[in-house]
PDB file of all heavy atoms in Angstrom:
ATOM      1  N   ASP A 142      -3.731 347.441 120.690  1.00 98.00           N
ATOM      2  CA  ASP A 142      -3.345 348.817 120.284  1.00 98.00           C
ATOM      3  C   ASP A 142      -3.239 348.762 118.772  1.00 98.00           C
ATOM      4  O   ASP A 142      -2.283 348.177 118.237  1.00 98.00           O
ATOM      5  CB  ASP A 142      -2.008 349.196 120.899  1.00 98.00           C
ATOM      6  CG  ASP A 142      -2.027 349.187 122.443  1.00 98.00           C
ATOM      7  OD1 ASP A 142      -3.132 349.400 122.983  1.00 98.00           O
ATOM      8  OD2 ASP A 142      -0.960 348.967 123.044  1.00 98.00           O
ATOM      9  N   THR A 143      -4.203 349.351 118.098  1.00 98.00           N
ATOM     10  CA  THR A 143      -4.200 349.239 116.643  1.00 98.00           C
ATOM     11  C   THR A 143      -3.047 350.048 116.052  1.00 98.00           C
ATOM     12  O   THR A 143      -2.558 351.036 116.654  1.00 98.00           O
ATOM     13  CB  THR A 143      -5.537 349.716 116.050  1.00 98.00           C
ATOM     14  OG1 THR A 143      -5.854 350.955 116.630  1.00 98.00           O
ATOM     15  CG2 THR A 143      -6.645 348.718 116.333  1.00 98.00           C
ATOM     16  N   ALA A 144      -2.639 349.650 114.861  1.00 98.00           N
ATOM     17  CA  ALA A 144      -1.451 350.275 114.249  1.00 98.00           C
ATOM     18  C   ALA A 144      -1.745 351.757 113.909  1.00 98.00           C
ATOM     19  O   ALA A 144      -2.848 352.126 113.577  1.00 98.00           O
ATOM     20  CB  ALA A 144      -1.130 349.518 112.958  1.00 98.00           C
ATOM     21  N   LEU A 145      -0.700 352.568 114.091  1.00 98.00           N
ATOM     22  CA  LEU A 145      -0.786 353.989 113.709  1.00 98.00           C
ATOM     23  C   LEU A 145       0.320 354.243 112.673  1.00 98.00           C
ATOM     24  O   LEU A 145       1.404 354.697 113.002  1.00 98.00           O
ATOM     25  CB  LEU A 145      -0.617 354.889 114.916  1.00 98.00           C
ATOM     26  CG  LEU A 145      -1.662 354.739 116.061  1.00 98.00           C
ATOM     27  CD1 LEU A 145      -1.248 355.590 117.254  1.00 98.00           C
ATOM     28  CD2 LEU A 145      -3.040 355.162 115.555  1.00 98.00           C
ATOM     29  N   PRO A 146       0.055 353.877 111.397  1.00 98.00           N
ATOM     30  CA  PRO A 146       1.119 353.946 110.388  1.00 98.00           C
ATOM     31  C   PRO A 146       1.616 355.347 110.122  1.00 98.00           C
ATOM     32  O   PRO A 146       2.728 355.560 109.705  1.00 98.00           O
ATOM     33  CB  PRO A 146       0.476 353.299 109.156  1.00 98.00           C
ATOM     34  CG  PRO A 146      -0.999 353.252 109.404  1.00 98.00           C
ATOM     35  CD  PRO A 146      -1.193 353.332 110.896  1.00 98.00           C
ATOM     36  N   ASP A 147       0.733 356.356 110.392  1.00 98.00           N
ATOM     37  CA  ASP A 147       1.123 357.726 110.066  1.00 98.00           C
ATOM     38  C   ASP A 147       1.659 358.488 111.285  1.00 98.00           C
ATOM     39  O   ASP A 147       1.886 359.690 111.195  1.00 98.00           O
ATOM     40  CB  ASP A 147      -0.098 358.473 109.512  1.00 98.00           C
ATOM     41  CG  ASP A 147      -0.635 357.802 108.258  1.00 98.00           C
ATOM     42  OD1 ASP A 147       0.200 357.227 107.518  1.00 98.00           O
ATOM     43  OD2 ASP A 147      -1.858 357.802 108.056  1.00 98.00           O
ATOM     44  N   ARG A 148       1.849 357.782 112.401  1.00 98.00           N
ATOM     45  CA  ARG A 148       2.300 358.517 113.609  1.00 98.00           C
ATOM     46  C   ARG A 148       3.705 359.073 113.397  1.00 98.00           C
ATOM     47  O   ARG A 148       4.568 358.408 112.791  1.00 98.00           O
ATOM     48  CB  ARG A 148       2.283 357.587 114.826  1.00 98.00           C
ATOM     49  CG  ARG A 148       2.490 358.315 116.126  1.00 98.00           C
ATOM     50  CD  ARG A 148       2.476 357.396 117.296  1.00 98.00           C
ATOM     51  NE  ARG A 148       3.656 356.499 117.278  1.00 98.00           N
ATOM     52  CZ  ARG A 148       3.988 355.681 118.243  1.00 98.00           C
ATOM     53  NH1 ARG A 148       3.175 355.595 119.324  1.00 98.00           N
ATOM     54  NH2 ARG A 148       5.058 354.920 118.176  1.00 98.00           N
ATOM     55  N   GLN A 149       3.928 360.243 113.882  1.00 97.00           N
ATOM     56  CA  GLN A 149       5.259 360.889 113.770  1.00 97.00           C
ATOM     57  C   GLN A 149       5.888 360.983 115.152  1.00 97.00           C
ATOM     58  O   GLN A 149       5.147 361.168 116.135  1.00 97.00           O
ATOM     59  CB  GLN A 149       5.096 362.303 113.181  1.00 97.00           C
ATOM     60  CG  GLN A 149       4.655 362.315 111.721  1.00 97.00           C
ATOM     61  CD  GLN A 149       5.627 361.609 110.787  1.00 97.00           C
ATOM     62  OE1 GLN A 149       6.837 361.594 111.033  1.00 97.00           O
ATOM     63  NE2 GLN A 149       5.082 360.998 109.726  1.00 97.00           N
ATOM     64  N   PRO A 150       7.128 360.835 115.391  1.00 98.00           N
ATOM     65  CA  PRO A 150       8.134 360.618 114.337  1.00 98.00           C
ATOM     66  C   PRO A 150       8.204 359.180 113.866  1.00 98.00           C
ATOM     67  O   PRO A 150       8.816 358.893 112.840  1.00 98.00           O
ATOM     68  CB  PRO A 150       9.434 361.036 115.006  1.00 98.00           C
ATOM     69  CG  PRO A 150       9.211 360.709 116.447  1.00 98.00           C
ATOM     70  CD  PRO A 150       7.760 360.951 116.718  1.00 98.00           C
ATOM     71  N   LEU A 151       7.539 358.244 114.614  1.00 97.00           N
ATOM     72  CA  LEU A 151       7.623 356.834 114.192  1.00 97.00           C
ATOM     73  C   LEU A 151       6.247 356.239 114.138  1.00 97.00           C
ATOM     74  O   LEU A 151       5.408 356.534 115.013  1.00 97.00           O
ATOM     75  CB  LEU A 151       8.484 356.014 115.210  1.00 97.00           C
ATOM     76  CG  LEU A 151       9.974 356.241 115.214  1.00 97.00           C
ATOM     77  CD1 LEU A 151      10.607 355.512 116.403  1.00 97.00           C
ATOM     78  CD2 LEU A 151      10.589 355.744 113.898  1.00 97.00           C
ATOM     79  N   PRO A 152       5.966 355.381 113.204  1.00 98.00           N
ATOM     80  CA  PRO A 152       4.658 354.693 113.192  1.00 98.00           C
ATOM     81  C   PRO A 152       4.571 353.717 114.380  1.00 98.00           C
ATOM     82  O   PRO A 152       5.583 353.270 114.893  1.00 98.00           O
ATOM     83  CB  PRO A 152       4.671 353.934 111.868  1.00 98.00           C
ATOM     84  CG  PRO A 152       6.054 353.869 111.416  1.00 98.00           C
ATOM     85  CD  PRO A 152       6.824 354.964 112.085  1.00 98.00           C
ATOM     86  N   ARG A 153       3.320 353.433 114.807  1.00 98.00           N
ATOM     87  CA  ARG A 153       3.111 352.406 115.853  1.00 98.00           C
ATOM     88  C   ARG A 153       2.709 351.112 115.201  1.00 98.00           C
ATOM     89  O   ARG A 153       1.772 351.124 114.359  1.00 98.00           O
ATOM     90  CB  ARG A 153       2.046 352.866 116.863  1.00 98.00           C
ATOM     91  CG  ARG A 153       1.863 351.877 117.996  1.00 98.00           C
ATOM     92  CD  ARG A 153       0.896 352.394 119.059  1.00 98.00           C
ATOM     93  NE  ARG A 153      -0.493 352.199 118.686  1.00 98.00           N
ATOM     94  CZ  ARG A 153      -1.522 352.574 119.431  1.00 98.00           C
ATOM     95  NH1 ARG A 153      -1.294 353.228 120.587  1.00 98.00           N
ATOM     96  NH2 ARG A 153      -2.759 352.396 119.063  1.00 98.00           N
ATOM     97  N   PRO A 154       3.330 349.990 115.566  1.00 98.00           N
ATOM     98  CA  PRO A 154       2.886 348.726 114.990  1.00 98.00           C
ATOM     99  C   PRO A 154       1.580 348.279 115.616  1.00 98.00           C
ATOM    100  O   PRO A 154       1.146 348.799 116.639  1.00 98.00           O
ATOM    101  CB  PRO A 154       4.009 347.757 115.369  1.00 98.00           C
ATOM    102  CG  PRO A 154       4.602 348.339 116.617  1.00 98.00           C
ATOM    103  CD  PRO A 154       4.431 349.824 116.513  1.00 98.00           C
TER     104      PRO A 154
END
Side-chain angles (χ1 to χ4, degrees):
D142 299 333
T143 49
L145 298 174
D147 300 327
R148 191 182 66 173
Q149 293 299 329
L151 287 172
R153 182 173 82 181

